[in-house]
Amino acid sequence: SEQSVPARYGQTLVEYVNITKLQKVKELMEIRKMTVREASASLGYEDENYVSRIYKKYFGYNLTES
């Protein structure tokens, strides 16, 4: 049977979407020199503090750290 991409990696769909969007936030901050607020808003997040919290939850370090 075929599994979805998130299931293959032991993630729920919500986790997969969050991780993908958070990686894009980090990329926008690094490449386009956006702030957390700007990068978060460009991906539909209204609260940059929420983005910072879930980034740390998934990746283990702060969004502003390398």
Side-chain angles (χ1 to χ4, degrees):
S1 75
E2 289 195 25
Q3 287 184 317
S4 66
V5 171
R8 278 189 226 150
Y9 295 101
Q11 300 167 334
T12 66
L13 181 59
V14 171
E15 289 172 330
Y16 177 78
V17 170
N18 280 339
I19 289 168
T20 301
K21 287 175 74 175
L22 291 168
Q23 289 170 331
K24 186 67 176 175
V25 167
K26 183 72 169 177
E27 179 182 312
L28 290 171
M29 290 174 62
E30 291 174 350
I31 295 171
R32 299 211 180 153
K33 307 300 183 208
M34 290 181 162
T35 65
V36 175
R37 176 177 285 186
E38 293 167 336
S40 299
S42 75
L43 291 168
Y45 290 111
E46 295 180 11
D47 182 354
E48 71 269 17
N49 293 318
Y50 169 75
V51 172
S52 294
R53 275 194 317 275
I54 64 170
Y55 190 93
K56 185 163 186 168
K57 172 186 167 185
Y58 287 118
F59 298 104
Y61 56 92
N62 293 324
L63 185 56
T64 54
E65 295 175 15
S66 297

